[in-house]
Amino acid sequence: RGLYATNDIRNRGTVVEIPYDYALQVGDSLWGTVYDTFTDIPGSDDWSEDDLDDVYQGLNFLQSFTNDVDYGPYMDSLPQRPSSGDDVGLTPDFWCEESIRGIQIPSLIHEIMDRKQMVKEVASKNNVNENELRWATWMMRSRRFTTWNMVSDPNDSEENDSLFGVFPMRQNKIEQVQGYLTPLIDMANHANDPNAVMTINVNRWTREFDDSSSFALKALRPIGKGEEVTICYGDGDRTSLDLLDKYGFFIDGNNADDTIDWEELQPEFTTSLEEDEAELAMFDDYDGEDTEGGGTMANGVEVQRKGLDSRRTMLSLRVLMKRLSNWRPMKESPVNE
């Protein structure tokens, strides 16, 4: 799955362009979305507002677009609803609690568990399927493009004051944050060294969206026919932890990993790098033909199929984090008798 060039594309050339009207608007800070109340849920006061926004945009997407036949072709292009929480490429939001806690980074575990609870409660209060809402929230977190713009405050009554009834005397501006899903464009995969970039074209005079606006991918260098078109998710500042949390993957050579503050992160690893590497190596020889049942690891141990993919990903992350941090288990202090 990805986006590939059907013709040679010159440097700065347009790879694909989507009219503004073809994008699916899934969020707007001016909509005044009313959240459900969660005062009866322990710990809900500490929930991330950004994560809660993602869940409610997922709810809007689920209710407004997924069953609309006009958007059927686009829905078919999206990752399908997972058959289980252990499908390859899923974010930890879908994992079982054992795999999540196996990450052994308390702050990340807390965020994931909070988000799972948010999805559960919002689904319950709005009478939607929890797994459907979790999938829709993942679509928001992984595929939505967000725009920021300063616009006239619609609640400012003084805005209509004008000189000679023509020239506005004063206009209060507020930030408008909008979220969009953009067909075709959101099929582009991530790369550390991408060959394309997302651009947003708005009215050059008003700096707002109108019928002339569009979303586009522009080539950063010549792209050959048949070459995959890639972009950088975020601004190049997303660490492997961020990529796994939002998109369900991470890759080697991510320069953003150099910015991880290990003292602030405070991982609580309980195994050595060598132990994790040894267990991860067992997956290379795993007999996974029986996808509905179990299989045999390299050490001959019979295991259940459920949880293997998430555990493999979790171990791969732990190995990477330990290599990056040069982590070693602390030796126990000798006991003086």
Side-chain angles (χ1 to χ4, degrees), residues 29-46:
S29 58
L30 300 186
W31 284 350
T33 303
V34 178
Y35 292 158
D36 298 296
T37 56
F38 302 100
T39 54
D40 56 327
I41 308 299
S44 60
D45 290 342
D46 296 327

Side-chain angles (χ1 to χ4, degrees), residues 127-327:
N127 196 30
V128 298
N129 181 276
E130 180 182 341
N131 291 330
E132 290 277 310
L133 181 57
R134 181 164 291 109
W135 170 83
T137 301
W138 178 34
M139 294 301 97
M140 297 304 99
R141 288 170 52 78
S142 64
R143 306 180 83 86
R144 176 194 58 212
F145 288 101
T146 303
T147 65
W148 292 265
N149 195 22
M150 298 303 295
V151 299
S152 300
D153 186 351
N155 298 317
D156 183 9
S157 59
E158 297 182 17
E159 180 186 357
N160 295 322
D161 294 341
S162 59
L163 181 63
F164 306 123
V166 177
F167 303 104
M169 295 284 289
R170 186 179 88 155
Q171 286 187 323
N172 285 336
K173 297 288 187 178
I174 61 172
E175 184 180 56
Q176 182 181 31
V177 183
Q178 297 174 301
Y180 296 90
L181 295 180
T182 52
L184 287 182
I185 291 177
D186 64 9
M187 292 185 68
N189 287 320
H190 169 81
N192 291 332
D193 184 24
N195 56 19
V197 65
M198 171 82 164
T199 64
I200 301 174
N201 306 307
V202 297
N203 185 294
R204 62 182 300 184
W205 303 112
T206 66
R207 308 304 300 167
E208 296 180 358
F209 286 112
D210 61 18
D211 291 343
S212 67
S213 302
S214 65
F215 299 88
L217 286 184
K218 298 287 187 178
L220 292 173
R221 57 179 180 270
I223 301 174
K225 180 179 179 180
E227 184 179 350
E228 182 175 9
V229 177
T230 58
I231 60 176
C232 180
Y233 292 176
D235 297 320
D237 58 349
R238 290 184 174 161
T239 68
S240 293
L241 295 173
D242 298 328
L243 291 174
L244 177 64
D245 187 42
K246 291 181 71 72
Y247 307 104
F249 73 89
F250 53 91
I251 54 180
D252 292 334
N254 184 0
N255 292 332
D257 287 339
D258 295 337
T259 66
I260 296 176
D261 186 333
W262 296 102
E263 290 188 6
E264 180 181 348
L265 199 63
Q266 295 187 339
E268 296 180 350
F269 298 136
T270 59
T271 55
S272 68
L273 172 60
E274 292 73 21
E275 288 172 324
D276 284 353
E277 288 176 329
E279 183 177 352
L280 189 58
M282 295 179 187
F283 284 97
D284 293 337
D285 296 321
Y286 168 65
D287 174 15
E289 293 184 2
D290 182 8
T291 58
E292 297 299 325
T296 304
M297 300 290 278
N299 60 356
V301 176
E302 296 291 329
V303 292
Q304 291 299 309
R305 176 68 176 77
K306 182 179 180 182
L308 284 182
D309 289 323
S310 58
R311 183 161 185 82
R312 178 192 285 112
T313 304
M314 175 267 290
L315 284 169
S316 298
L317 179 71
R318 278 206 327 231
V319 166
L320 176 62
M321 293 296 102
K322 289 174 182 179
R323 288 174 178 170
L324 290 171
S325 64
N326 294 316
W327 183 88

Side-chain angles (χ1 to χ4, degrees), residues 74-94:
Y74 175 63
M75 296 303 156
D76 291 340
S77 75
L78 296 176
Q80 297 304 298
R81 281 75 161 172
S83 59
S84 75
D86 194 51
D87 289 2
V88 175
L90 294 179
T91 67
D93 286 20
F94 293 88

Side-chain angles (χ1 to χ4, degrees), residues 17-86:
E17 187 168 18
I18 303 298
Y20 167 70
D21 289 343
Y22 281 47
L24 287 68
Q25 186 173 1
V26 292
D28 191 324
S29 58
L30 300 186
W31 284 350
T33 303
V34 178
Y35 292 158
D36 298 296
T37 56
F38 302 100
T39 54
D40 56 327
I41 308 299
S44 60
D45 290 342
D46 296 327
W47 285 354
S48 162
E49 289 189 8
D50 288 340
D51 283 349
L52 206 52
D53 277 340
D54 290 340
V55 176
Y56 277 97
Q57 287 189 27
L59 179 65
N60 174 53
F61 170 63
L62 204 59
Q63 296 176 330
S64 302
F65 297 106
T66 56
N67 294 320
D68 190 325
V69 294
D70 291 338
Y71 296 102
Y74 175 63
M75 296 303 156
D76 291 340
S77 75
L78 296 176
Q80 297 304 298
R81 281 75 161 172
S83 59
S84 75
D86 194 51

